Amino acid sequence: MERIGYFNGQIGDLDTMQIPLCDRSVFYGDAVYDAVLVLDRKTFALDLHLDRLYRSCAMTEIRFEMPREALEAEIARLLEITPMGQAMLYIQVTRGAAPRKHEFPANAQPNLIMYTAPIKVPPKDKRASLASIEDLRFQYCNIKTTNLMPNVFAAQKATSQGATEALFHRGERVTEAAHSSILMLKDGALVVPPLDELILPGITRAIAVKLCEDNGIPVITRVFTVEELMAADEIILCSTTKNLIYVFEIDGKAVAGKDRPLAERIQKLFLEELYRQTGVRL
């Protein structure tokens, strides 16, 4: 099996496994999730991803009481039969199965859904383009829930315009991309938007920030606008499945390309950290 599914301890073919029709993730998207890069069955930054998963459960009041050590053991079971190579581990915790009713069910037990599937991480010299789209999502973007229809619409719109990703902005303020974080380089510093209810705290973003701080690269956290982004020295798009790639175009206009040495230094630091944790070089 290339695509391996998991539901509450049962493992099988992802395409044939089933979940209860009355699971609240079906009715309401009432679930949280996280996604982890796996290289030759070794996870990258698993601790950070599980931190965020449990935090998302707490923020949505999903009573996921599985001890972290037990969850890690179940992940290990899944990875044991995952084919070697590049893969993604998807983890989802739902509020549980219950008759359809908007209010939280009193006695529903959370369901744990996971799967692994092969992916192809973009090469480090991948050039990305963005399409700017007004950010119409709700104001819980800092929680990694499965309510992703606005992201889906934006990603499809960007794809239909021939762009790699959708660049979200609220008015002039840049927030993030449909399924990535947006960082920029300006005057020798890494500039990142502040984390609030409008932005998901990205794991790849967090690692990039720490690597810069540990290696003497200034990091500035502040709001920046679409106009400022257009004038950035470099623009970095980052996520679990993209790692760090460069943006060269926004809305059909050429951007960035003015400080490639610094961008490549940050990318090299990231790939070394990836190697340190997994033993795999990309």
Side-chain angles (χ1 to χ4, degrees):
M1 290 183 292
E2 281 199 333
R3 291 156 46 87
I4 305 168
Y6 172 105
F7 179 73
N8 289 348
Q10 297 181 339
I11 293 177
D13 188 325
L14 177 63
D15 296 320
T16 59
M17 292 194 73
Q18 300 178 354
I19 66 171
L21 179 61
C22 57
D23 188 275
R24 285 178 63 92
S25 65
V26 177
F27 293 143
Y28 304 114
D30 193 356
V32 299
Y33 77 102
D34 227 290
V36 185
L37 179 63
V38 178
L39 299 176
D40 289 345
R41 299 179 183 160
K42 298 182 182 67
T43 57
F44 178 58
L46 180 62
D47 284 346
L48 295 177
H49 285 283
L50 294 187
D51 286 346
R52 186 170 63 181
L53 180 72
Y54 278 95
R55 186 168 62 246
S56 293
C57 286
M59 295 175 76
T60 52
E61 300 182 50
I62 292 176
R63 298 190 300 271
F64 184 54
E65 297 175 350
M66 176 182 281
R68 188 166 173 143
E69 295 77 11
L71 176 55
E72 290 174 350
E74 292 300 276
I75 290 171
R77 282 183 60 208
L78 195 56
L79 294 183
E80 280 179 4
I81 56 174
T82 296
M84 299 288 279
Q86 301 176 7
M88 183 184 71
L89 164 67
Y90 179 88
I91 311 168
Q92 176 173 308
V93 180
T94 84
R95 196 174 303 279
R100 190 182 187 280
K101 184 181 180 182
H102 281 66
E103 292 80 10
F104 295 169
N107 300 310
Q109 294 299 310
N111 288 322
L112 176 62
I113 300 169
M114 298 193 289
Y115 73 80
T116 60
I119 61 168
K120 188 172 180 59
V121 176
K124 63 183 181 181
D125 58 351
K126 164 76 175 179
R127 284 158 51 87
S129 57
L130 303 178
S132 61
I133 295 172
E134 184 70 26
D135 191 346
L136 300 177
R137 299 172 298 167
F138 66 173
Q139 294 191 354
Y140 292 105
C141 299
N142 54 318
I143 308 174
K144 200 167 177 68
T145 76
T146 56
N147 291 276
L148 295 173
M149 286 307 293
N151 302 64
V152 170
F153 292 150
Q156 179 58 38
K157 185 175 181 180
T159 297
S160 67
Q161 294 178 16
T164 307
E165 250 281 36
L167 167 64
F168 278 138
H169 59 91
R170 297 197 183 225
E172 279 299 304
R173 177 189 172 180
V174 171
T175 50
E176 54 189 354
H179 42 289
S180 315
S181 299
I182 296 285
L183 319 176
M184 72 175 188
L185 300 182
K186 188 67 177 177
D187 299 330
L190 179 70
V191 183
V192 299
L195 294 177
D196 56 18
E197 73 281 1
L198 302 180
I199 292 179
L200 181 74
I203 302 302
T204 307
R205 163 194 156 128
I207 293 170
V209 166
K210 187 175 188 307
L211 289 171
C212 287
E213 291 173 341
D214 291 347
N215 289 274
I217 300 170
V219 177
I220 299 171
T221 302
R222 66 171 177 84
V223 169
F224 53 84
T225 66
V226 175
E227 183 179 3
E228 288 181 289
L229 190 66
M230 297 289 290
D233 296 335
E234 296 290 347
I235 303 170
I236 297 173
L237 194 63
C238 63
S239 71
T240 293
T241 55
K242 293 183 182 68
N243 291 333
L244 275 63
I245 59 177
Y246 310 131
V247 174
F248 74 98
E249 182 181 276
I250 298 177
D251 294 338
K253 299 177 182 177
V255 295
K258 303 169 190 171
D259 195 352
R260 193 49 50 88
L262 180 56
E264 290 178 349
R265 182 185 174 201
I266 294 171
Q267 188 183 65
K268 182 178 179 181
L269 288 170
F270 181 85
L271 292 176
E272 285 298 320
E273 178 63 17
L274 190 68
Y275 173 71
R276 187 186 71 79
Q277 292 193 33
T278 68
V280 176
R281 290 199 183 277
L282 294 179

